[in-house]
Amino acid sequence: MGIESSLMKDADGKDIDDFYEMPNGCICCASKDDLINTLDSMLEKRKDIEYILVETNGLADSSQLIQSFWLDEGLCSKVRLHQAISVVDTLTFSKKLESELVVEDKDRQNSLPENELLLRQLLHADKILLNKVDLL
């Protein structure tokens, strides 16, 4: 059950109408078709959309998410991946890089050590943003 849409408010405190949540929660654990179908649905309702930002949490396997956008031209989706951006918490980066903690998805199909997941996120990123550099 998603809770984010009920928390999303505009500057006046009103609900944001154009907030979409995936039916199964996490886009890495949900059916990959759900993401593309949701984005296509958004584009059908709002023809003026130029870009859509898809945000994941720090445990997302970006390689799986990126593969969702590798569609056969025959599927006629209007969705194209422009770029993948990874944000690195510079305060915890070295600790996580050494971590052997295993991160498991809901279905336990893609269990990965945290350090491997971190490296995957960086390897698949077109841009890497360094966060908290002012605290180093």
Side-chain angles (χ1 to χ4, degrees):
M1 177 175 112
I3 62 166
E4 288 85 1
S5 63
S6 63
L7 300 174
M8 298 303 294
K9 307 285 183 194
D10 65 14
D12 298 323
K14 297 178 184 171
D15 290 338
I16 296 176
D17 294 328
D18 294 335
F19 187 86
Y20 290 83
E21 288 182 288
M22 296 299 299
N24 294 326
C26 176
I27 58 177
C28 295
C29 301
S31 166
K32 290 176 179 42
D33 292 338
D34 286 349
L35 174 62
I36 301 303
N37 291 337
T38 299
L39 296 176
D40 277 337
S41 174
M42 287 174 61
L43 292 172
E44 285 298 315
K45 293 177 185 174
R46 298 273 314 268
K47 306 281 186 208
D48 60 334
I49 294 176
E50 293 181 34
Y51 293 97
I52 298 170
L53 172 68
V54 177
E55 180 183 9
T56 64
N57 67 25
L59 299 176
D61 182 353
S62 53
S63 64
Q64 291 184 8
L65 182 60
I66 290 168
Q67 287 177 23
S68 299
F69 292 92
W70 295 344
L71 296 174
D72 186 341
E73 290 292 324
L75 295 177
C76 302
S77 175
K78 296 177 181 148
V79 178
R80 300 286 179 261
L81 178 64
H82 179 67
Q83 64 183 338
I85 301 172
S86 185
V87 179
V88 173
D89 181 338
T90 57
L91 292 179
T92 62
F93 179 75
S94 59
K95 179 181 170 187
K96 290 186 182 283
L97 196 57
E98 295 172 4
S99 173
E100 294 183 18
L101 174 71
V102 174
V103 178
E104 298 179 1
D105 69 13
K106 286 193 311 190
D107 300 324
R108 303 200 187 282
Q109 295 173 352
N110 298 309
S111 301
L112 294 171
E114 187 174 24
N115 56 2
E116 185 176 332
L117 185 59
L118 174 64
L119 290 174
R120 280 185 185 210
Q121 291 172 345
L122 297 176
L123 287 171
H124 289 95
D126 297 300
K127 292 183 181 175
I128 299 171
L129 300 178
L130 300 178
N131 190 17
K132 301 179 185 174
V133 294
D134 58 322
L135 301 175
L136 291 176

